[in-house]
Amino acid sequence: EIALERLPLAPGVAEVAAQLDVEAADLAATGGEDFELCVCVSPERRAGAEAASELVWVGEVVAGEPGARFTAGGAERRLAGYEHAA
């Protein structure tokens, strides 16, 4: 489960999102080439992970069907991911 409001935004994303009339976090989550590495860390290893690298905590693993679930303000948001042309 990924909280959209926690996603880091690259410089310029908010301005482009405003021009496209979309939420900046939605664009950051689905836009394509600007990406971050996403990893899962068990709670008991959190301190070690934070000591090893600069991290931004954007969500958590929850019970349910496999796959990414996006939320905004606690409510689920349906987003379509970026699709590369063949």
Side-chain angles (χ1 to χ4, degrees), residues 1-83:
E1 190 168 286
I2 299 168
L4 291 169
E5 60 269 12
R6 294 185 190 171
L7 292 179
L9 298 179
V13 171
E15 292 79 20
V16 171
Q19 290 178 2
L20 297 173
D21 196 29
V22 298
E23 294 290 328
D26 293 4
L27 186 59
T30 63
E33 296 303 319
D34 55 327
F35 57 91
E36 302 255 351
L37 180 62
C38 187
V39 300
C40 292
V41 177
S42 62
E44 62 271 7
R45 295 183 181 229
R46 181 176 177 139
E50 289 174 333
S53 183
E54 182 179 330
L55 301 173
V56 176
W57 300 101
V58 298
E60 62 185 343
V61 175
V62 296
E65 293 294 318
R69 177 177 173 235
F70 295 99
T71 62
E76 186 169 355
R77 279 287 268 297
R78 300 275 180 192
L79 297 177
Y82 184 82
E83 293 196 24

